[in-house]
Structure formats: structure tokens, C-alpha cells
């Protein structure tokens, strides 16, 4: 298995961006404290990540991705966790593709 240099550079840049964001978050929390706005922002961040990850497949993909998005949203809402919604969405897309949806 091999990877192209462009992919490795992209992975490295994303890792650096994630570390910078985490470090910036620690600095911001030290200066700002835990105000209601900061708590609300942190509470809604996992949902924003899920939505941003789902936008491209929904616009470019077929009905299997729509099924996955609906299942992921329902599980995130009912179970109340990002992890359950994410795994449910991936599983639903896999099952929908296995069933013949595109």
C-alpha cells in the first residue's frame, strides 16, 4: 500500500490544524472561562462536525446517503450522542448500498 505525497502533506496539515485548534481552545478557555456562550458552542460542536461531514455525500451521492443522514440525525437526537449517530449513519449507508440503493 502506498500513499501519494499530496495525501501525506494534506494529512500532516490537517493534524497541525487540529493541534492548533485544540491549543487555541485551551488558551481561550483559560482567558474566557466557561460562560454560557462557550458552553453552548462546545455542546453544539459535535453536531456541526456531523453535518459538515455529511453535506458533500448528500449533494453528490445517491439515496443511500440520504438514508444514512436520516438515520444518523434520528440516532443523534434520540440517543443523544455523536458517536451513536455517526456509527448508525455509516451502518445505514452500508445496509442501503447492500440492499441495492446507490
Amino acid at each position: 500500500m502506498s500513499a501519494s505525497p499530496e495525501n501525506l502533506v494534506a494529512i500532516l496539515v490537517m493534524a497541525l490544524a487540529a493541534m492548533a485548534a485544540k491549543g487555541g481552545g485551551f488558551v481561550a478557555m483559560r482567558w474566557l472561562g466557561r460562560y454560557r456562550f462557550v458552553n453552548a458552542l462546545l455542546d453544539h460542536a459535535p453536531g456541526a462536525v456531523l453535518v459538515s461531514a455529511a453535506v458533500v455525500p448528500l449533494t453528490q451521492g445517491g439515496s443511500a446517503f440520504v438514508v444514512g443522514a436520516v438515520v444518523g440525525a434520528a440516532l443523534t437526537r434520540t440517543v443523544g450522542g455523536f458517536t451513536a449517530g455517526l456509527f448508525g449513519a455509516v451502518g445505514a449507508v452500508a445496509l442501503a448500498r447492500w440492499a441495492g440503493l446507490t
Side-chain angles (χ1 to χ4, degrees), residues 2-100:
S2 65
S4 66
E6 293 87 8
N7 290 344
L8 294 176
V9 169
I11 291 170
L12 176 67
V13 169
M14 286 187 288
L16 290 174
M19 289 189 313
K22 192 170 194 171
F26 285 131
V27 170
M29 292 302 293
R30 186 163 187 94
W31 284 342
L32 295 176
R34 294 289 299 241
Y35 295 110
R36 288 189 317 169
F37 174 74
V38 176
N39 281 333
L41 186 70
L42 292 174
D43 287 340
H44 290 87
V49 170
L50 182 62
V51 168
S52 67
V55 166
V56 173
L58 283 174
T59 57
Q60 295 178 353
S63 56
F65 290 109
V66 174
V67 170
V70 170
V71 169
L75 280 177
T76 301
R77 179 77 175 160
T78 57
V79 177
F82 172 71
T83 306
L86 183 64
F87 284 121
V90 170
V93 170
L95 286 174
R97 284 193 167 182
W98 178 74

